[in-house]
Amino acid sequence: MKEYSAKDIRNVVLLGATKSGKTTLAETMLFEGKVIDRRGTIEDKNTVSDFDDLEKLNQRSIYATPVYAEFQGKKINILDAPGSDDFIGGAYAGFRVCENGILVVNAQQGIEVGTRNALRYADQYKLPLIVAVNHLDGEKADWDLAQHALKEALGSKYLAIQFPTNTGVGFDGVVDVLTMKYNDTQEIPAEFADRAEEARQALIEKVAEFDDALMEKFFDEGTLSEEEILSGLAIGIKNREVYPVLCISGKKDIGVKRLLEFTINSAVAPEADEKAAAGLFIYKNNVEHHLGEVSYFKVMSGTVTSGLDLENPETGDKERLSAIYAVAGTKKEPVQALKAGDFGCAVKLKNGKSNTTLSAIGSGLNFDKIQYPAPKYRCAIKAKVQQDEQKLGEALKKISAQDPTVVVEYSKELRQTILSGNGEQHINAVKWRVNNEFGLEIELFAPKVPYRETITKVATAQYRHKKQSGGAGQFGEVHLLVCPAEGELRTKFPIDGKDTQLNVKTSESIDLEWGGKLEFYNCVVGGAIDLGFMPAILKGIKDRMVEGPLTGSYARDIRVYVYDGKMHPVDSKEIAFIIAGRNAFKEAFRIAGPKILEPIYNVEVTTPGEYQGAVMSDLQNRRGILGDLGSDEGFSILRARVPLAELYRYSTVLSSLTSGSASFTMEFADYQPVPGDIQTKLIADYAASEKEDE
Ligand SMILES: Nc1nc2c(ncn2[C@@H]2O[C@H](COP(=O)(O)OP(=O)(O)O)[C@@H](O)[C@H]2O)c(=O)[nH]1
Ligand SMILES: [Mg+2]
């Protein structure tokens, strides 16, 4: 392969709804770009792009796969991104490393949810777009309908470059009003001449708007030359003022060559300096048959050559690129050099994980990372057989290093491993990989909720620990009072029926690791307990707060006053006061109006207006408290405070409620008491599970 400079490179990410034909288009582009000499199909499971076992099994893209085409002396790097929100991580890589998007629209479906999502992402990531209306050969292809829907969705950015002369199974003609040719090289048939002329005029008027000089010329002469149209178009595309629309059938290889040519002429080239210090950014990492670990990168700066020594600027680790390749899916061609702006891969790197920079030693170059969306789906995971737990941990670590949208963490509090991802299908894909690639059987289930416990009233309790075992005995007695840790410090309480003034001798306020606090006051008079035993009593209380008396959850926001007790001159030891402190606390807690608190999340749902009612009532059924309602370009934005306990599988439910057209975010807000009936049930469940453990 020849070496390409940035001006001869175009990087595009294919976007669009699932099944709009992105992978098929990539295959045809490869074919037209002479990278392959035979086209595979989704049905035959032999496309260059969907080569992963899981992709073949599902007959759809799950990961972003880079391919390329060489055409008219230029190179187009194409990232075939998955269309569904469950696998959106791959598209995020595309937004980071591609200067352009090609939005594939299915003419049999019109504007789909996935199309709208892609348009939203393009806005968010300021990605210039070219629109390819595909499936024009499909039985149900309807150009008028597709065109109408596109005009509505793209608004003033809509700009027709082509129109089909027929659609459906016999589709075989495209008029191009930029080249003024029919099917690339032929004269436009007479019957379409007027329509072509009209569309060309609209095109010229539109592109004149993008540049003052062109506008002047257009006013003077009433037209623009081919070259001027192209230059205006390039400006409009780059500034995202226009989304040019072209017509294709990826499957029948109609219009694809012209789409490549259009991309070369009009899409944005990477801006990068091949003479600067070398630096590359790894946007994807994968384990592949026969190769091992493959790191896919974009050269961000300078020229990357095989044998080059680089470093990871974050760790200082050195890394030699023993070989580099140009990649088209499974096809990897060794090359000597790749220049700034180009795509490639390397194998078996030590620092080869996704989202890593490797740059010239000492250059300090470190490129912005891909900012993945926060996970939307959480579940607990465990190995079916206990002995596999360690292997499972290693497998998950590998999977999440390749796919950073898979997040794995062990929760000490819940004693569960929590697996999070973009959606239920995403998590199921992880399950499949763990099963098939690592040979482990696993179970996925609802994660426990991190409840908290606290008290609402004042209560006192005392406990005497006494043990006579042969020689030395154990003795400790603690009297204490508990109350909620809120408001001013109170020192006067009714104790045993009389008003008692407590004298605080020493105090300690502890910020608990799990949130909230414990305040501890020593108010013992007359040396009833030695000062030296106070830490033991405190330890006993803290131990009990780790496993709250109601449900075994962390306790928080409690004041404890130790106001009396007893010692024994010989048998009083630390252990005795730990036990006495723990039990006195438990007893007092039990009668102090204990409450279970649950985590509440701020949930924000963005949904097409038509589903607003359904989404709202579903949130209410989840005990959600609705907040203010907003709107944004036809979408409703609903905000609600919802208990975490009610949010398991929410992404799946929301998706089915709205045909996949809504998105949401969730963020921890605070802890609130659970309703009485739920508290009763949680306490009963905990008591039952404790019995089981005995
Ligand atoms: N009739 C027709 N079918 C197509 C076309 N492009 C793709 N398909 C079919 O549509 C389905 C989805 O295609 P695929 O390339 O996997 O879509 P992707 O999900 O966007 O990558 C497959 O069955 C393809 O054979 C096309 O231009 N015309
Ligand atoms: Mg695909």
Side-chain angles (χ1 to χ4, degrees):
M1 196 190 74
K2 82 172 222 207
E3 287 168 23
Y4 291 90
S5 293
K7 68 175 182 19
D8 296 328
I9 296 171
R10 301 293 179 272
N11 299 317
V12 296
V13 52
L14 301 184
L15 301 172
T18 318
K19 299 215 175 300
S20 53
K22 300 178 291 297
T23 300
T24 305
L25 172 62
E27 189 80 6
T28 305
M29 285 176 149
L30 278 169
F31 175 74
E32 287 299 343
K34 305 279 185 298
V35 175
I36 52 175
D37 47 24
R38 207 179 143 266
R39 290 194 295 149
T41 67
I42 300 293
E43 290 73 15
D44 294 335
K45 306 184 184 191
N46 61 350
T47 60
V48 172
S49 174
D50 282 359
F51 64 85
D52 185 272
D53 289 341
L54 188 56
E55 294 180 320
K56 288 196 233 172
L57 187 78
N58 284 273
Q59 296 198 26
R60 65 168 185 167
S61 312
I62 289 182
Y63 307 107
T65 310
V67 299
Y68 69 91
E70 292 182 271
F71 197 76
Q72 298 181 348
K74 307 245 185 334
K75 185 181 181 198
I76 304 183
N77 291 304
I78 303 147
L79 207 56
D80 177 21
S84 101
D85 256 10
D86 264 60
F87 300 102
I88 198 66
Y92 273 72
F95 305 142
R96 177 73 186 84
V97 295
C98 296
E99 290 78 23
N100 308 275
I102 291 183
L103 174 62
V104 181
V105 176
N106 183 342
Q108 306 199 81
Q109 302 288 340
I111 302 292
E112 300 175 75
V113 169
T115 324
R116 281 197 198 285
N117 289 343
L119 284 169
R120 236 183 321 150
Y121 286 126
D123 280 343
Q124 204 178 335
Y125 290 89
K126 309 266 174 286
L127 197 69
L129 281 187
I130 294 168
V131 178
V133 179
N134 190 32
H135 279 257
L136 282 166
D137 64 302
E139 250 169 65
K140 287 181 287 175
D142 188 333
W143 169 248
D144 289 338
L145 220 64
Q147 191 188 24
H148 186 76
L150 266 171
K151 276 183 184 163
E152 205 171 82
L154 308 185
S156 66
K157 289 183 178 165
Y158 178 92
L159 179 63
I161 302 294
Q162 302 177 330
F163 61 84
T165 53
N166 57 351
T167 55
V169 181
F171 170 60
D172 64 357
V174 175
V175 169
D176 192 304
V177 301
L178 182 57
T179 58
M180 285 309 261
K181 289 277 187 263
Y182 171 70
N183 287 348
D184 298 348
T185 52
Q186 300 165 37
E187 288 292 307
I188 296 174
E191 55 181 311
F192 297 106
D194 288 350
R195 207 171 135 194
E197 205 44 63
E198 205 179 300
R200 182 173 174 86
Q201 205 53 34
L203 167 70
I204 292 174
E205 278 171 32
K206 186 93 190 170
V207 302
E209 288 173 21
F210 305 140
D211 185 86
D212 289 345
L214 291 181
M215 188 53 108
E216 230 164 88
K217 169 100 191 291
F218 176 67
F219 271 135
D220 288 349
E221 298 175 21
T223 190
L224 294 176
S225 72
E226 181 92 23
E227 212 173 301
E228 286 162 339
I229 297 175
L230 276 175
S231 84
L233 197 53
I235 296 170
I237 291 174
K238 183 168 184 182
N239 296 338
R240 298 174 29 75
E241 290 179 274
V242 70
Y243 291 165
V245 178
L246 287 87
C247 301
I248 62 168
S249 163
K251 190 158 186 167
K252 291 185 82 178
D253 194 3
I254 297 173
V256 175
K257 224 156 120 173
R258 171 68 185 131
L259 176 62
L260 284 172
E261 182 186 64
F262 184 84
T263 304
I264 284 167
N265 290 338
S266 307
V268 180
E271 262 173 51
D273 181 359
E274 65 193 53
K275 299 244 161 48
L280 58 83
F281 176 73
I282 298 167
Y283 63 87
K284 166 183 159 138
N285 155 252
N286 194 20
V287 176
E288 292 171 25
H289 296 300
H290 312 303
L291 289 174
E293 211 160 322
V294 185
S295 302
Y296 293 87
F297 60 79
K298 177 184 184 186
V299 182
M300 307 294 286
S301 166
T303 299
V304 166
T305 52
S306 78
L308 188 66
D309 285 310
L310 296 173
E311 69 178 349
N312 176 337
E314 282 172 25
T315 61
D317 283 354
K318 304 285 180 284
E319 181 87 59
R320 172 163 296 175
L321 298 178
S322 52
I324 54 172
Y325 305 85
V327 227
T330 44
K331 201 177 137 121
K332 280 147 187 116
E333 187 191 330
V335 291
Q336 271 314 306
L338 292 166
K339 293 181 177 173
D342 210 348
F343 281 36
C345 75
V347 295
K348 299 196 177 73
L349 299 182
K350 297 190 300 285
N351 295 276
K353 300 292 179 237
S354 302
N355 242 352
T356 307
T357 290
L358 292 175
S359 55
I361 295 166
S363 69
L365 286 173
N366 191 7
F367 305 105
D368 290 348
K369 291 187 190 303
I370 303 164
Q371 300 294 332
Y372 290 107
K376 293 194 163 58
Y377 188 91
R378 289 168 79 238
C379 64
I381 179 170
K382 69 172 187 202
K384 279 217 171 111
V385 273
Q386 170 73 33
Q387 291 94 301
D388 282 347
E389 276 298 331
Q390 195 183 340
K391 279 192 218 151
L392 173 60
E394 285 158 18
L396 291 174
K397 209 170 142 191
K398 281 189 185 152
I399 292 173
S400 80
Q402 284 162 27
D403 178 355
T405 59
V406 175
V407 180
V408 186
E409 57 197 348
Y410 179 75
S411 164
K412 220 170 73 184
E413 171 179 5
L414 306 176
R415 294 193 198 90
Q416 290 180 322
T417 300
I418 306 294
L419 175 64
S420 324
N422 294 325
E424 197 162 1
Q425 291 177 41
H426 186 210
I427 293 301
N428 285 337
V430 173
K431 181 176 183 183
W432 186 91
R433 294 192 59 187
V434 172
N435 280 160
N436 291 276
E437 292 170 20
F438 298 88
L440 301 170
E441 292 285 331
I442 56 168
E443 263 175 61
L444 300 176
F445 47 99
K448 284 190 206 149
V449 174
Y451 291 108
R452 296 286 180 265
E453 299 181 11
T454 194
I455 53 173
T456 57
K457 293 187 196 147
V458 178
T460 60
Q462 35 186 285
Y463 192 89
R464 173 184 292 180
H465 176 69
K466 189 175 170 186
K467 202 166 147 200
Q468 226 72 52
S469 54
Q474 295 178 359
F475 183 92
E477 184 174 317
V478 172
H479 301 199
L480 53 72
L481 178 146
V482 297
C483 71
E486 59 189 23
E488 296 240 322
L489 184 67
R490 206 178 131 186
T491 50
K492 206 168 182 179
F493 294 96
I495 296 177
D496 299 331
K498 13 179 230 274
D499 269 348
T500 310
Q501 174 66 46
L502 299 178
N503 275 322
V504 177
K505 298 241 174 67
T506 57
S507 70
E508 213 174 314
S509 174
I510 300 160
D511 288 323
L512 301 164
E513 275 171 61
W514 51 85
K517 57 187 173 177
L518 163 65
E519 293 175 14
F520 182 75
Y521 299 95
N522 168 16
C523 313
V524 174
V525 280
I529 306 174
D530 263 359
L531 204 58
F533 287 121
M534 283 301 148
I537 297 171
L538 178 58
K539 181 173 188 313
I541 293 166
K542 278 206 291 198
D543 284 354
R544 196 61 239 198
M545 287 183 80
V546 169
E547 221 166 297
L550 300 181
T551 60
S553 309
Y554 292 135
R556 58 179 282 171
D557 300 327
I558 298 171
R559 259 174 213 157
V560 182
Y561 303 77
V562 178
Y563 62 88
D564 204 359
K566 274 201 185 73
M567 289 188 300
H568 182 277
V570 185
D571 292 346
S572 278
K573 326 195 150 73
E574 276 197 0
I575 180 71
F577 280 100
I578 292 176
I579 294 170
R582 184 159 69 208
N583 287 313
F585 175 77
K586 177 186 172 184
E587 181 54 24
F589 191 98
R590 209 179 48 78
I591 53 178
K595 271 267 167 223
I596 300 173
L597 306 175
E598 62 179 342
I600 306 291
Y601 275 66
N602 285 328
V603 174
E604 187 176 296
V605 183
T606 304
T607 172
E610 59 191 296
Y611 299 114
Q612 183 185 308
V615 173
M616 266 183 173
S617 62
D618 174 70
L619 283 170
Q620 279 166 327
N621 287 338
R622 293 170 190 277
R623 298 193 279 124
I625 296 172
L626 295 173
D628 54 339
L629 186 68
S631 72
D632 178 29
E633 291 186 25
F635 285 85
S636 300
I637 301 171
L638 289 93
R639 299 186 182 88
R641 286 167 53 81
V642 189
L644 178 65
E646 308 289 338
L647 285 169
Y648 180 53
R649 296 188 74 237
Y650 184 61
S651 67
T652 311
V653 174
L654 180 66
S655 171
S656 71
L657 266 181
T658 62
S659 305
S661 60
S663 60
F664 80 105
T665 57
M666 55 187 268
E667 197 179 8
F668 172 73
D670 54 20
Y671 273 95
Q672 292 294 328
V674 301
D677 53 332
I678 294 180
Q679 169 148 331
T680 309
K681 182 174 181 310
L682 289 170
I683 293 174
D685 288 353
Y686 180 66
S689 77
E690 287 292 273
K691 258 223 173 77
E692 246 169 55
D693 288 350
E694 271 168 17

